[in-house]
Amino acid sequence: MGRWRKVGSALWRVVAVWAVSTLTMLVLAGILPDFKLQSDDGDSATRIAITAASGAGAFGLLSVLVWPLLVRALLLVPALVLGVLAFFLNGSLLLLALSLIPEGRGEAGAETAVVVAAVMSAVASATGGALAVRDDDAYRRRLYRLADRRRRRGADGAPGPIAPGTVFIQLDGVGHDVLTSAVERGLMPTVGRWLGEAGDTGHTGAATHRLTPWRTDWSSQTGASQLGILHGSNHDVPAFRWYEKDTGEVMVSNRPASAVELQRRAVERTGDGGLLTVDGASRGNLFSGGAEQLALVLSVAARRGKENRSRAGYFAYFSDPANAVRTALSFVAEVFREIGESTGARFRRRRPRVGRGGLYPFIRAFATVVERDVVVAAVIGDMLAGRSAVYADLVAYDEVAHHSGPTGKDVDKVLRRLDRSLALLDQVADHAPRAYRIVVLSDHGQSPGETFRARYGLTLGDLVRAGCGLPVPRKAQRTHSGAEARAAVRAALRRPVEEGAEQRRPVRRAEPIVLASGNLGLVSFPDVRHRMTREEIDLRHPALLPTLANHPGVGFLLVRSAERGALVLGARGAEVYLDEDPVDLGPLADFGPGAAEAVLRTDGFPHVADIMVNSWYDPEEGEVLAFEEQIGSHGGLGGAQSRPFLLSPLVLGDPVADGGELVGAERVHRVLRGWLGEDAGPEVPLTADVVDAIDVIDSVDLDDSLSGTPDGTAFTVPDRAVQDKTR
């Protein structure tokens, strides 16, 4: 009886979607002059309805059967191009469906077909979502059926995984204080419920998670933090970008070639593949973590051809035309939202403010819509496939906060959406083939403040040139922004990461190379093969170090003394020799506990710059001065940027059980690895047969789609066969 009830429920949903699609087609035929559903001589209303039903049915069937084949045939097309191409492919399917209607009753122009197909896909997706929202039992049964299918595919009847799996969700750039404020203001009810905070009803429940702040290394940015978290070592990563004298190259954390090399160095140093080496998945990250299942991972984005799995997530997601249409519409809405918000900021003359024109609205929409949708859908697929460990990065907040500031209405909207994504994953975890523990963390925070250029009318590069006695341009040029989403967009389009002119080799080797990483600056002299000492710099450019140290926008400098080691310089002749364990930290005192240790650690890196420059910091307001064009920045010391968070289930061990402080990304890695080892986690790998058998879904199936989940967010389980195709 229960089986027939399930079949009846599935048939009802199919019929309902078909009926709504038919009605949509009839309405569009009445509105659009270039779209008709009757013969030239005219037809009765009944005949027109039958024609519309036939066209809607044929279009739905072709979308199920033909669309995945078209996507697989276009695996080498850049991912974002595929998203645009989806509209035209969808329109082609509609034209094909209309051609199947007898006696030529269905007809549409090419442009009209694209519009009709897009509207029909969106309406069908919304209808399926509405039915799922109204039928929790049907949604739950569908998830159970997917989970049962995974278990049945186990080789030789081998039992499914017993130990719980772990999902790590990185909310890029969300600081500890930003998270707690968002919970207190009701912006993130899912996180609030986990922490036992009052929700919309005003009632508090038992907490299921604990919130732990942690402190980053001096380089408070995704490259250093995520490399340390995923691979256990961020040794020799002094900043987001830096110049290496032995190779003559500028390393950039979000450049695919640099990410590959950084990952290789970390693996070589630790002798371990990474956090996700056993049955793991890496989604939307800079580094793979040793995972076999990869999507949107920058360290493999430089590869060409079908073996590049970094783009597999895009193809898996866009293999459903409804996903393509839904995401595209949200993308356009986000572009207009950003244009409206930036225009309002200009009219209100809000300060601080940076330029938000050009391609930025599209980059923001990619980070807040496309990347989020694809990554969350991939994680859902991993959970339904029963994978042991998943690590995913959502960059939406970080990208918006760089240009709109770490607080305000713009980022509040982003935080709400991120919380909805967490709620969706929490719901899916209830129906996965194994229990899942959801851990949420951030890689760094963001500190507010205007740019160095806006306050003083010159860039750090200009100040360095003045201290060296070199000519300074009359007008300060904008510095290159290191936002992670830009590299993700370029990787999706298969375009190389371009650096600003000031980050390339100078025309004359005697000139310094000046790089910016948030409020951290690096000065290197490429014609000297070793790291220059303070004595050598003073001999060559006597005014340089005093010029930098005494500038009001500079907090402190790190140089190397030939005789006394690591040396911190500040205004009015302040000097602190870190190797001598000083009591008075001088200019470092305002930067909080652990500042001296973080700076001293960086001083020991082989590729530390000749001069490391940290901007001014106001401990009362928490503001810094970014050397890049960002009003929310991170990369150095000062304020919230160095204080991310770790939100973990209470069933896992306390990350600071000894009552101490969690310091450094490498320490976070050890905590996460320890959690994976609890309850015989992924340390007990699945057999090869079972791993091969675990599948998200063999083909796109309307009944098995996850579009229309209970919280109103629509996603479709990625097609694992598409991922296999890109191996």
Side-chain angles (χ1 to χ4, degrees):
M1 187 67 181
R3 183 180 185 86
W4 287 110
R5 182 183 177 186
K6 295 176 183 177
V7 173
S9 178
L11 288 175
W12 160 245
R13 290 195 299 275
V14 171
V15 171
V17 172
W18 186 12
V20 172
S21 298
T22 300
L23 181 60
T24 303
M25 187 172 279
L26 288 170
V27 172
L28 292 174
I31 296 175
L32 301 174
D34 209 16
F35 179 40
K36 70 172 189 174
L37 294 172
Q38 57 183 316
S39 64
D40 294 335
D41 298 331
D43 287 324
S44 65
T46 302
R47 179 70 256 186
I48 294 174
I50 293 174
T51 302
S54 300
F59 178 65
L61 193 61
L62 289 172
S63 296
V64 173
L65 299 177
V66 179
W67 184 271
L69 300 178
L70 292 175
V71 172
R72 288 183 177 87
L74 295 170
L75 286 177
L76 298 183
V77 175
L80 292 186
V81 176
L82 178 63
V84 176
L85 193 60
F87 283 94
F88 299 99
L89 292 176
N90 217 16
S92 300
L93 289 182
L94 179 66
L95 290 176
L96 179 58
L98 294 177
S99 70
L100 297 177
I101 299 176
E103 303 177 9
R105 284 186 167 83
E107 184 178 328
E111 299 85 354
T112 303
V114 172
V115 175
V116 173
V119 173
M120 288 185 64
S121 295
V123 170
S125 175
T127 302
L131 291 174
V133 169
R134 287 166 174 77
D135 188 359
D136 255 359
D137 290 338
Y139 172 72
R140 188 178 298 108
R141 287 196 301 271
R142 183 160 63 252
L143 288 179
Y144 277 132
R145 185 167 59 256
L146 286 171
D148 290 340
R149 184 177 298 178
R150 308 299 171 269
R151 286 191 285 268
R152 288 198 302 270
R153 288 173 184 169
D156 301 325
I162 298 176
T166 308
V167 175
F168 302 102
I169 301 298
Q170 178 179 301
L171 303 184
D172 205 301
V174 179
H176 175 271
D177 295 343
V178 167
L179 184 78
T180 55
S181 174
V183 170
E184 291 171 356
R185 292 181 291 134
L187 299 178
M188 304 186 76
T190 303
V191 176
R193 173 169 53 83
W194 288 345
L195 293 174
E197 300 288 339
D200 295 336
T201 62
H203 299 293
T204 59
T208 60
H209 287 60
R210 67 169 63 86
L211 181 63
T212 306
W214 65 279
R215 179 155 35 95
T216 67
D217 305 287
W218 187 3
S219 181
S220 55
Q221 46 87 19
T222 303
S225 292
Q226 197 177 87
L227 186 65
I229 292 171
L230 287 177
H231 288 279
S233 173
N234 58 8
H235 177 78
D236 203 19
V237 182
F240 184 82
R241 53 174 66 85
W242 66 95
Y243 177 73
E244 297 194 342
K245 293 187 174 185
D246 50 352
T247 63
E249 297 293 332
V250 173
M251 298 288 287
V252 186
S253 296
N254 67 355
R255 178 186 290 167
S258 298
V260 170
E261 176 60 17
L262 292 178
Q263 183 171 307
R264 185 198 65 79
R265 293 178 185 178
V267 172
E268 183 179 78
R269 182 174 179 84
T270 63
D272 181 83
L275 185 71
L276 310 173
T277 51
V278 180
D279 190 30
S282 180
R283 311 299 187 187
N285 300 311
L286 294 182
F287 311 102
S288 73
E292 174 63 21
Q293 297 295 324
L294 305 171
L296 286 66
V297 175
L298 203 67
S299 62
V300 298
R303 302 176 187 172
R304 298 279 181 172
K306 295 182 179 180
E307 71 279 1
N308 184 355
R309 284 172 290 152
S310 74
R311 290 183 294 272
Y314 292 113
F315 299 117
Y317 184 76
F318 290 122
S319 63
D320 183 350
N323 283 349
V325 172
R326 181 174 54 250
T327 297
L329 294 176
S330 298
F331 181 93
V332 173
E334 186 68 15
V335 169
F336 282 104
R337 180 180 293 109
E338 161 56 26
I339 293 174
E341 290 174 353
S342 61
T343 302
R346 287 198 302 272
F347 281 149
R348 292 190 298 270
R349 298 183 179 180
R350 191 175 69 188
R351 291 288 186 273
R353 190 177 75 243
V354 294
R356 293 160 61 176
L359 293 177
Y360 172 69
F362 300 94
I363 295 173
R364 165 174 165 165
F366 173 86
T368 58
V369 175
V370 179
E371 196 266 356
R372 179 203 63 201
D373 286 1
V374 174
V375 168
V376 171
V379 174
I380 290 174
D382 293 326
M383 296 172 71
L384 292 176
R387 295 198 175 95
S388 299
V390 183
Y391 194 104
D393 186 13
L394 300 176
V395 302
Y397 172 87
D398 189 66
E399 179 61 32
V400 176
H402 277 312
H403 296 81
S404 301
T407 59
K409 294 182 179 179
D410 293 9
V411 294
D412 285 351
K413 297 175 183 176
V414 177
L415 292 171
R416 288 183 185 275
R417 296 182 200 140
L418 290 175
D419 188 81
R420 288 199 293 267
S421 297
L422 296 178
L424 175 60
L425 296 177
D426 192 32
Q427 292 165 356
V428 172
D430 291 337
H431 308 287
R434 71 193 304 165
Y436 272 101
R437 304 168 298 194
I438 298 179
V439 176
V440 186
L441 72 161
S442 59
D443 48 347
H444 55 77
Q446 288 214 21
S447 297
E450 62 183 324
T451 69
F452 188 88
R453 183 181 74 93
R455 177 168 293 190
Y456 299 109
L458 78 168
T459 66
L460 178 63
D462 296 335
L463 185 62
V464 170
R465 292 182 67 84
C468 293
L470 298 171
V472 179
R474 292 184 178 181
K475 185 177 180 180
Q477 300 295 316
R478 293 179 181 270
T479 55
H480 184 80
S481 173
E484 290 86 338
R486 294 178 179 271
V489 172
R490 302 191 73 89
L493 293 172
R494 294 197 201 167
R495 296 177 62 85
V497 175
E498 298 291 344
E499 291 304 309
E502 82 279 4
Q503 295 165 32
R504 296 173 182 171
R505 300 180 190 180
V507 177
R508 290 174 291 184
R509 289 184 58 83
E511 295 185 7
I513 293 178
V514 182
L515 305 176
S517 295
N519 74 317
L520 178 64
L522 297 87
V523 183
S524 299
F525 294 91
D527 60 323
V528 179
R529 299 292 294 177
H530 62 271
R531 181 186 178 189
M532 294 186 70
T533 63
R534 183 253 187 99
E535 292 79 5
E536 290 174 317
I537 296 171
D538 283 342
L539 183 63
R540 183 172 181 170
H541 299 294
L544 177 57
L545 294 180
T547 297
L548 292 174
N550 288 292
H551 191 278
V554 173
F556 66 89
L557 313 177
L558 171 68
V559 293
R560 187 77 182 173
S561 168
E563 297 181 355
R564 303 176 65 180
L567 170 61
V568 169
L569 300 176
R572 296 179 294 279
E575 296 184 356
V576 180
Y577 292 92
L578 298 180
D579 288 323
E580 299 176 359
D581 195 19
V583 176
D584 182 6
L585 296 180
L588 290 178
D590 288 339
F591 288 85
E597 291 80 359
V599 172
L600 182 59
R601 177 176 182 263
T602 302
D603 180 77
F605 291 169
H607 290 111
V608 65
D610 294 327
I611 307 172
M612 301 285 289
V613 185
N614 202 99
S615 85
W616 162 89
Y617 166 58
D618 181 354
E620 293 185 2
E621 300 295 331
E623 294 184 354
V624 299
L625 297 176
F627 297 126
E628 299 181 88
E629 289 301 298
Q630 300 171 348
I631 59 173
S633 67
H634 57 89
L637 286 174
Q641 63 182 316
S642 301
R643 190 177 168 84
F645 71 88
L646 180 60
L647 180 66
S648 58
L650 295 175
V651 295
L652 297 174
D654 191 339
V656 287
D658 57 359
E661 186 178 10
L662 192 58
V663 178
E666 294 181 358
R667 172 79 181 280
V668 174
H669 170 85
R670 293 193 292 271
V671 170
L672 302 191
R673 183 174 285 275
W675 287 343
L676 291 180
E678 293 180 10
D679 300 324
E683 301 301 323
V684 182
L686 300 176
T687 66
D689 290 339
V690 175
V691 171
D692 291 338
I694 290 177
D695 207 342
V696 177
I697 191 168
D698 284 328
S699 61
V700 177
D701 183 348
L702 287 178
D703 183 50
D704 283 346
S705 79
L706 283 181
S707 55
T709 50
D711 71 339
T713 307
F715 290 102
T716 296
V717 180
D719 187 350
R720 172 73 174 278
V722 176
Q723 299 183 23
D724 293 340
K725 186 72 174 177
T726 59
R727 285 186 179 179

